[in-house]
Amino acid sequence: MEEDIDTRKINNSFLRDHSYATEADIISTVEFNHTGELLATGDKGGRVVIFQREQESKNQVHRRGEYNVYSTFQSHEPEFDYLKSLEIEEKINKIRWLPQQNAAYFLLSTNDKTVKLWKVSERDKRPEGYNLKDEEGRLRDPATITTLRVPVLRPMDLMVEATPRRVFANAHTYHINSISVNSDYETYMSADDLRINLWNFEITNQSFNIVDIKPANMEELTEVITAAEFHPHHCNTFVYSSSKGTIRLCDMRASALCDRHTKFFEEPEDPSNRSFFSEIISSISDVKFSHSGRYIMTRDYLTVKVWDLNMENRPIETYQVHDYLRSKLCSLYENDCIFDKFECVWNGSDSVIMTGSYNNFFRMFDRNTKRDVTLEASRENSKPRAILKPRKVCVGGKRRKDEISVDSLDFSKKILHTAWTRLTRWTSYYLIISHTEY
């Protein structure tokens, strides 16, 4: 592979052997901030853990690129909807960073029903010398105050505080699957199975419904919304995908309710490949605009596809992620793996794409050279600066020493969540979070 996807640049130091991890510790989403200095992860226990990149030093060059815990806070708690007698899980579905405007950081986090805006800030000084309070913070008797003092700031140990600034609730009947910050940085959208809402960051008690695909009769429901994202540069444009394998591009300038799409992307199905599982595996689990805004990338169960905004009838590129599983769709259906939702991600220059697979494998595709590689994010390779060796899956016949049989794949180890950021001073940095490892 070219330098841009050199496996030596991959850092897996975050993969630690935590035998004490519980179900609540399983990571459910991951997101870099815009500079790549911070990495936020959400888990099934409703927690958000923020990691900070270790600064490079002459004495510790080998620690370059490692991420250490910066802040941990409880973002969501389990709730109960008494009107519908339903439990609302605390699991974090998505995290999105806002561009940094000052010394503080802001991020959005959401569970199935509620989106929260968090402020993460540092404090290394504290005021001392209050007139009306003693050193322990208790109010003093005004009768005992005989002189006035000017409070001063004293150094203290660095403290990272996470405080909720906004809570956006009570706008979704169904489970939120996507949130996306608009390029105007004043609004964002949240999407559930049947509706997409537009929010203003300053208004928490109302939102605007911009997409509603709920039929009058729910028995006529044929598809649901699976993912949605704003265009990276045009604040009026967004895209959303469906469980039928279609993508709709909408323009909010055309109408307030974007039920009528501007463009409709769909690849005709080959009748010869039609099967019982066709509709299930065609469901799009993730959709991403390229950084340039020219292309859309989608991920279904077996493939990653790249679409040109100017061509709606078919994708310009199709990459087979794990086509060797096509013969095992029946068993994957029985163990529910066929419903797994894999994410996909672009590199900084839109020249390489990455997505996850089973057995802790992840796939990378170079769009220029059309070369691809399969790598494994395992605990055995989690040492700093470890070089990952390409892996191959053997479908049938004789198996080579460095190959693994498709029958030996572990479907309980899967890489569902991926993130990629570009850092200065070195070519690229990739991050992969596994479904089963923390």
Side-chain angles (χ1 to χ4, degrees):
M1 305 295 287
E2 292 185 345
E3 183 184 9
D4 208 22
I5 49 176
D6 188 351
T7 60
R8 291 175 296 179
K9 300 292 193 300
I10 297 178
N11 184 293
N12 290 303
S13 60
F14 55 88
L15 291 175
R16 304 303 185 193
D17 187 8
H18 292 307
S19 58
Y20 55 82
T22 63
E23 179 74 13
D25 297 320
I26 295 178
I27 290 176
S28 54
T29 185
V30 55
E31 185 77 8
F32 280 109
N33 74 336
H34 292 74
T35 64
E37 294 295 326
L38 297 180
L39 164 70
T41 65
D43 61 28
K44 289 189 174 182
R47 295 181 299 263
V48 172
V49 181
I50 301 177
F51 299 86
Q52 186 178 46
R53 186 169 67 100
E54 187 73 24
Q55 296 299 318
E56 182 180 354
S57 65
K58 295 181 179 179
N59 299 328
Q60 294 179 319
V61 179
H62 66 281
R63 300 192 66 180
R64 179 180 65 176
E66 287 193 26
Y67 281 74
N68 297 319
V69 175
Y70 177 69
S71 176
T72 303
F73 58 92
Q74 189 72 32
S75 176
H76 288 71
E77 300 281 355
E79 303 175 39
F80 190 81
D81 188 338
Y82 292 96
L83 293 177
K84 298 182 179 180
S85 298
L86 293 175
E87 292 184 359
I88 303 175
E89 292 184 354
E90 65 272 30
K91 185 187 78 167
I92 306 298
N93 291 342
K94 293 292 180 180
I95 291 175
R96 291 292 180 264
W97 290 91
L98 276 66
Q100 187 176 4
Q101 303 292 336
N102 48 43
Y105 302 96
F106 289 87
L107 61 85
L108 289 170
S109 63
T110 183
N111 65 350
D112 287 340
K113 300 293 184 181
T114 304
V115 183
K116 294 184 179 181
L117 175 64
W118 290 89
K119 176 183 178 181
V120 181
S121 57
E122 296 181 354
R123 185 154 60 96
D124 59 359
K125 293 182 175 62
R126 63 183 177 188
E128 293 183 358
Y130 285 108
N131 290 288
L132 301 179
K133 295 180 181 180
D134 59 20
E135 300 303 328
E136 297 180 359
R138 293 173 297 189
L139 291 176
R140 298 170 59 187
D141 184 358
T144 62
I145 301 175
T146 58
T147 59
L148 292 178
R149 296 187 297 177
V150 178
V152 295
L153 294 176
R154 303 289 187 189
M156 59 174 287
D157 293 338
L158 179 65
M159 178 182 297
V160 181
E161 298 176 321
T163 54
R165 300 303 301 269
R166 304 280 190 277
V167 177
F168 307 89
N170 305 320
H172 285 276
T173 305
Y174 307 96
H175 295 174
I176 298 174
N177 55 48
S178 300
I179 52 176
S180 180
V181 179
N182 202 347
S183 59
D184 60 11
Y185 305 134
E186 295 180 0
T187 57
Y188 77 94
M189 69 177 175
S190 56
D192 63 25
D193 293 340
L194 299 179
R195 295 187 176 97
I196 299 177
N197 294 331
L198 180 68
W199 300 83
N200 187 293
F201 280 110
E202 301 299 326
I203 303 173
T204 61
N205 59 356
Q206 68 176 358
S207 62
F208 297 94
N209 180 225
I210 55 177
V211 173
D212 188 349
I213 65 171
K214 182 180 179 181
N217 183 0
M218 286 296 286
E219 293 182 357
E220 299 175 357
L221 182 67
T222 59
E223 62 181 337
V224 296
I225 299 170
T226 56
E229 187 176 65
F230 269 118
H231 191 280
H233 308 304
H234 304 311
C235 61
N236 56 281
T237 307
F238 68 93
V239 67
Y240 69 93
S241 58
S242 79
S243 58
K244 294 184 70 173
T246 61
I247 309 104
R248 292 172 174 85
L249 183 73
C250 300
D251 190 338
M252 291 187 290
R253 295 173 301 182
S255 64
L257 186 61
C258 300
D259 286 347
R260 294 185 178 180
H261 49 267
T262 303
K263 293 188 176 183
F264 183 78
F265 302 87
E266 182 180 25
E267 183 178 23
E269 183 183 10
D270 185 354
S272 62
N273 293 331
R274 179 72 182 177
S275 69
F276 170 79
F277 307 105
S278 295
E279 187 171 339
I280 300 176
I281 63 176
S282 65
S283 176
I284 296 175
S285 58
D286 196 16
V287 58
K288 295 282 178 60
F289 272 106
S290 62
H291 295 86
S292 65
R294 171 70 184 273
Y295 304 102
I296 301 173
M297 174 171 56
T298 60
R299 170 69 203 265
D300 55 42
Y301 190 69
L302 294 178
T303 66
V304 172
K305 297 176 181 178
V306 177
W307 303 76
D308 191 317
L309 290 185
N310 298 322
M311 189 167 67
E312 304 173 47
N313 60 341
R314 60 182 177 87
I316 60 172
E317 300 165 20
T318 300
Y319 301 96
Q320 300 294 333
V321 179
H322 39 216
D323 196 55
Y324 45 79
L325 296 181
R326 194 176 293 273
S327 62
K328 294 186 172 295
L329 293 179
C330 184
S331 59
L332 292 169
Y333 177 80
E334 293 175 352
N335 61 18
D336 288 339
C337 284
I338 199 171
F339 301 105
D340 287 333
K341 300 181 184 301
F342 293 94
E343 296 177 3
C344 54
V345 66
W346 303 87
N347 74 330
S349 60
D350 298 333
S351 61
V352 181
I353 59 181
M354 177 175 67
T355 189
S357 182
Y358 294 104
N359 206 72
N360 279 337
F361 289 168
F362 62 97
R363 302 270 285 144
M364 302 175 69
F365 304 93
D366 190 314
R367 299 179 61 209
N368 297 324
T369 64
K370 304 304 179 184
R371 299 178 64 184
D372 63 88
V373 65
T374 301
L375 301 171
E376 181 180 5
S378 64
R379 291 189 175 119
E380 290 73 19
N381 297 327
S382 63
K383 296 180 180 179
R385 301 182 69 81
I387 299 177
L388 301 187
K389 297 180 179 179
R391 301 298 305 271
K392 291 185 178 180
V393 178
C394 176
V395 178
K398 294 184 179 180
R399 181 171 61 89
R400 296 181 180 179
K401 184 178 181 181
D402 57 341
E403 292 181 339
I404 181 172
S405 171
V406 65
D407 298 320
S408 303
L409 295 177
D410 189 345
F411 294 103
S412 65
K413 295 181 178 180
K414 57 195 87 172
I415 293 181
L416 300 178
H417 315 293
T418 57
W420 193 323
T421 187
R422 176 174 292 274
L423 298 177
T424 58
R425 302 181 67 179
W426 29 307
T427 306
S428 298
Y429 180 88
Y430 335 104
L431 177 101
I432 305 93
I433 295 295
S434 170
H435 174 77
T436 55
E437 296 179 331
Y438 189 83

